[in-house]
Amino acid sequence: MDENETDNSDKLLGEINALLRSPRPATGKVKAKRPEITLHQLRIFWAVAHSETLTKAAKQLGLAQPSLSQQLSKLESIVGTRLFDRRSNQMTLTDAGHYLMSRAETVLRNMRELEDGLTQFSGGQRVTVRLSGINSVLRVILPAAITAMHAKFPDVDFDIQENAPGDVLELLYGRRVNIGLVASSSVAQASVGFLQVPIVDDPMVLVVPESLDLSNVRVPARDLRKGQRAVLNQSIQFIFGTQHAKRVEDWYDQMLPEHRVAAQCRSFEVAIGLVRAGLGVCLAPAISTVAGAGALDGVRLYKVQSPPRHIVAMVPSQYRRLEPYSTLLETLQDVGASFVAPTLEATPPFLDRPALNDL
DNA sequence: TGTCGCAATGCGCGGCGAAT
DNA sequence: ATTCGCCGCGCATTGCGACA
């Protein structure tokens, strides 16, 4: 972070308030205290702007919806204009709202960084690392990393949120979490001020019902029975974001040109259940196949010639050298390096060709 | 007499549930 | 989503007793 940005944070909130102070009326002996914009109001404003409804924002903040309504009303009365257009089930920013939004983000970001920066001076006090990531990485990589961290930093707590990749980035950019764990393909472009620390390469695998032996299949139409071909050509797509969904779809189109989408899932547990039941096959990241004992009964995992997904830790660049984040990143890398993918069967001959696109 | 510590009190703020 | 009434909490103020 730019040092000047921190200094400017205080000034900015002060300036917002100063600009709003109109000359006080001469009448009246007692000067009533003028209301000022508070950080609390800015946090609520930010949350509503991002979630677009008071109800969603209230859930996100852990407050009741009426409280948000009241705080927004206060903020609007201080500002002297509407910040949101109220439509049925949607709150959209007005021009004034957009103007405040750009300033509020700076204030909130700097406050968060100020709080985080001060943790290094907190001595024996407890520090909370806020972390958001996709389910599979949180389940497989994180536990070992946190165990190792507890040995080195017993006073560090973890606030862990499981989210879809888009939400992870949203939380990260809004400085509501310190670290995001996502696939690098989820990050559309290089984000200014953020580092991508590589954690683990996660190979893609094809999950099929146990009865569907593909080990010697060179031409499915010739080597498989009609019923087996039907199962192979029913894809159960394991998706999160639209970008990833498109790439997975391309892979199926190239490798199984006769396939049709039987189901779309957002959790591997559901997808693997459908595969086990014989509904179809599923292309999934290997890490997501690591589950509790017995979870992989009834299915086979095949290697595919598709580039691995790269799991990265997204962090604001200034955290790279700040404890305990720095050690946590190193620990995540150590755990990632020692990750052992489940035992996979060799790529079926008919799939033994490279896919055109990265997943 | 001035200072300190503690308890009681009042006020403002922000929370919530219910009603609209 | 907004409004209303109520409740709890935190803070400032006030009053009182103990002490130097």
Side-chain angles (χ1 to χ4, degrees), chain A residues 82-309:
Chain A
R82 296 287 251 185
L83 297 169
F84 290 96
D85 283 326
R86 273 80 164 167
R87 295 170 195 158
S88 57
N89 288 327
Q90 196 176 20
M91 308 271 285
T92 54
L93 287 170
T94 61
D95 289 345
H98 280 294
Y99 178 82
L100 178 59
M101 189 65 193
S102 59
R103 269 75 184 166
E105 288 202 317
T106 306
V107 171
L108 294 175
R109 184 172 63 244
N110 290 345
M111 272 307 293
R112 181 69 77 195
E113 287 170 0
L114 178 71
E115 287 163 9
D116 290 337
L118 285 171
T119 59
Q120 64 188 307
F121 303 106
S122 64
Q125 290 179 32
R126 299 198 78 80
V127 172
T128 300
V129 173
R130 293 178 302 279
L131 201 146
S132 172
I134 52 179
N135 174 293
S136 53
V137 179
L138 295 187
R139 278 191 299 108
V140 177
I141 303 294
L142 198 58
I146 287 185
T147 305
M149 278 297 287
H150 265 302
K152 295 175 189 165
F153 294 92
D155 287 321
V156 172
D157 290 330
F158 290 86
D159 181 357
I160 301 161
Q161 297 185 48
E162 180 202 332
N163 293 103
D167 295 334
V168 173
L169 297 176
E170 176 116 330
L171 289 166
L172 196 62
Y173 295 154
R175 298 297 205 272
R176 298 182 64 78
V177 295
N178 311 116
I179 296 180
L181 292 169
V182 290
S184 61
S185 58
S186 308
V187 187
Q189 59 206 20
S191 307
V192 177
F194 286 88
L195 290 175
Q196 293 184 35
V197 180
I199 300 300
V200 62
D201 287 342
D202 184 15
M204 300 299 290
V205 300
L206 185 68
V207 189
V208 308
E210 196 160 37
S211 57
L212 187 58
D213 183 355
L214 301 176
S215 51
N216 294 312
V217 176
R218 294 184 178 281
V219 182
R222 184 194 65 199
D223 300 336
L224 290 174
R225 294 194 305 276
K226 190 180 172 187
Q228 290 176 314
R229 282 204 306 276
V231 172
L232 179 64
N233 282 316
Q234 295 206 123
S235 61
I236 295 160
Q237 300 200 356
F238 176 51
I239 58 164
F240 268 128
T242 50
Q243 263 189 338
H244 182 67
K246 177 74 175 69
R247 287 192 289 267
V248 168
E249 221 174 291
D250 287 348
W251 185 91
Y252 282 113
D253 288 344
Q254 285 175 45
M255 298 300 178
L256 299 168
E258 291 171 31
H259 86 104
R260 71 172 190 87
V261 180
Q264 290 191 330
C265 297
R266 280 156 191 79
S267 97
F268 181 71
E269 285 73 17
V270 175
I272 202 169
L274 294 174
V275 172
R276 186 185 292 118
L279 182 70
V281 301
C282 173
L283 184 70
I287 283 184
S288 69
T289 67
V290 179
L296 293 175
D297 288 352
V299 296
R300 293 168 183 262
L301 303 180
Y302 285 102
K303 286 182 189 170
V304 293
Q305 275 214 18
S306 176
R309 165 175 97 134

Side-chain angles (χ1 to χ4, degrees), chain A residues 288-330:
Chain A
S288 69
T289 67
V290 179
L296 293 175
D297 288 352
V299 296
R300 293 168 183 262
L301 303 180
Y302 285 102
K303 286 182 189 170
V304 293
Q305 275 214 18
S306 176
R309 165 175 97 134
H310 306 293
I311 301 298
V312 296
M314 290 275 293
V315 285
S317 45
Q318 74 274 15
Y319 287 2
R320 191 66 180 99
R321 288 182 194 81
L322 185 68
E323 292 295 1
Y325 308 101
S326 165
T327 302
L328 176 58
L329 291 170
E330 285 169 20

